[in-house]
């Protein structure tokens, strides 16, 4: 069985999709969680998850901003799919304008 390279670890460090160019940055002190940023916007976290339905590959959980510590919104087999879901379904969190 061949594992899709888009399932490989670590994700990123950069990814382009649908007009977005994002950075995928490891969370401090973690080897299983990455934050997704574009310019000054934060889209959320992708994290490794247990395999689904007995599939052997690593899976990735999707967490939107302010939902990082609750069960994931979605679990997918490819980190690229996780990032695409964040970009399609979420809105970037931005710092307050000064």
């Amino acid at each position: 069985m061949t594992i899709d390279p888009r399932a490989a670890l670590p994700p990123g460090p950069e990814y382009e999709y649908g007009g977005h160019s994002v950075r995928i940055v490891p969370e401090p002190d973690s080897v299983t969680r990455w934050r997704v940023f574009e310019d000054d916007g934060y889209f959320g976290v992708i994290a490794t998850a247990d395999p689904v339905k007995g599939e052997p590959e690593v899976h990735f959980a999707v967490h939107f901003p302010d939902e990082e510590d609750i069960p994931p919104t979605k679990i997918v087999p490819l980190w690229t799919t996780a990032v695409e879901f964040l970009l399609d379904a979420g809105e970037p969190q931005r710092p307050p304008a000064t």
Side-chain angles (χ1 to χ4, degrees), residues 49-60 75-77:
D50 291 331
V52 178
K53 300 176 191 166
E55 296 172 358
E57 296 91 1
V58 171
H59 280 64
F60 296 88
I75 296 176
V76 295

Side-chain angles (χ1 to χ4, degrees), residues 47-92:
T48 58
D50 291 331
V52 178
K53 300 176 191 166
E55 296 172 358
E57 296 91 1
V58 171
H59 280 64
F60 296 88
V62 177
H63 300 272
F64 290 108
D66 300 322
E67 297 179 1
E68 293 90 348
D69 296 323
I70 64 173
T73 303
K74 187 171 186 83
I75 296 176
V76 295
L78 307 173
W79 68 262
T80 54
T81 306
V83 172
E84 290 167 8
F85 183 78
L86 280 175
L87 297 175
D88 287 341
E91 289 290 325

Side-chain angles (χ1 to χ4, degrees), residues 1-16:
M1 170 172 56
T2 302
I3 295 178
D4 191 311
R6 296 171 296 163
L9 291 171
E14 296 176 352
Y15 186 64
E16 292 190 22

Side-chain angles (χ1 to χ4, degrees), residues 10-17 20-25 37 79-80 83:
E14 296 176 352
Y15 186 64
E16 292 190 22
Y17 169 77
H20 294 278
S21 182
V22 297
R23 295 179 329 280
I24 302 167
V25 180
F37 294 96
W79 68 262
T80 54
V83 172

